[in-house]
Amino acid sequence: VTSRAWCAEEGEACAGGGVEPTTRAPWPGEAGAATSAAPPLCDGVLEETSTVWINVHDVLHWFPSTRRRTRTILWASESTGWRHLYLLQTYRGPDGRDAMVRHQLTCGEWQVEGDRVWVDELRQLVYFMGTRDTALELHLYVL
């Protein structure tokens, strides 16, 4: 199953896609959970595949968890053909399964550049370099 994110018309706000169920290992303390003292293994939050080249990058930021069994991650993806920022929120659904919501934060025919973003968690701001205004220069942007 692939999470969907779509972009509104140029100049409008981006919109993010729906909830997708995922399979997972049991949480520590749940029936079927590992009983060893070793931390549980993570088999991934999101996986993207492509038939063409995928650029490797380090654009990833894990936000502190504010609610039990909820994780929020800032991540970049080139799934649209342009590198853009996404906010991934994983949580335990009402049916007891994990679910993920994927919000597209940037969109358009330009991209987030570089291998870093800077996050001000206190003010809830994300700073990044990009080519939105011109492909000839990098500019600093904030969300």
Side-chain angles (χ1 to χ4, degrees), residues 58-64 72-76 87-88 117-121 126:
D58 293 327
V59 182
L60 174 70
H61 180 82
W62 293 81
F63 289 94
T72 303
I73 306 161
L74 177 70
W75 185 54
L87 191 66
L88 308 176
V117 294
W118 299 270
V119 177
D120 183 341
E121 291 176 359
V126 177

Side-chain angles (χ1 to χ4, degrees), residues 4-5 20 23 29 35 47 64 86 90 92 94 98 108 110 124 133:
R4 302 279 185 233
E20 83 176 53
T23 58
T35 56
E47 178 179 298
Y86 295 84
T90 61
R92 168 75 49 87
D98 282 351
W110 62 278
Q124 298 181 345
D133 295 322

Side-chain angles (χ1 to χ4, degrees), residues 28-55:
E30 278 186 331
T35 56
S36 70
L41 296 176
C42 177
D43 58 354
V45 174
L46 175 73
E47 178 179 298
E48 284 190 340
T49 57
S50 176
T51 58
V52 296
W53 180 263
I54 296 177
N55 289 313

Side-chain angles (χ1 to χ4, degrees), residues 39-142:
L41 296 176
C42 177
D43 58 354
V45 174
L46 175 73
E47 178 179 298
E48 284 190 340
T49 57
S50 176
T51 58
V52 296
W53 180 263
I54 296 177
N55 289 313
V56 177
H57 60 79
D58 293 327
V59 182
L60 174 70
H61 180 82
W62 293 81
F63 289 94
S65 183
T66 56
R67 293 187 336 196
R68 189 169 180 238
R69 296 183 178 166
T70 300
R71 305 289 182 267
T72 303
I73 306 161
L74 177 70
W75 185 54
S77 171
E78 294 184 17
S79 60
T80 64
W82 303 90
R83 182 184 294 173
H84 286 291
L85 297 177
Y86 295 84
L87 191 66
L88 308 176
Q89 296 174 307
T90 61
Y91 62 93
R92 168 75 49 87
D95 61 355
R97 294 175 55 188
D98 282 351
M100 180 180 69
V101 179
R102 180 176 169 165
H103 303 280
Q104 186 172 3
L105 300 177
T106 61
C107 58
E109 293 185 0
W110 62 278
Q111 66 184 17
V112 173
E113 291 286 345
D115 285 337
R116 292 205 53 208
V117 294
W118 299 270
V119 177
D120 183 341
E121 291 176 359
L122 184 63
R123 291 188 243 167
Q124 298 181 345
L125 298 173
V126 177
Y127 297 87
F128 61 94
M129 302 297 288
T131 58
R132 183 170 189 237
D133 295 322
T134 175
L136 301 177
E137 299 175 340
L138 291 180
H139 293 267
L140 177 65
Y141 297 93
V142 63

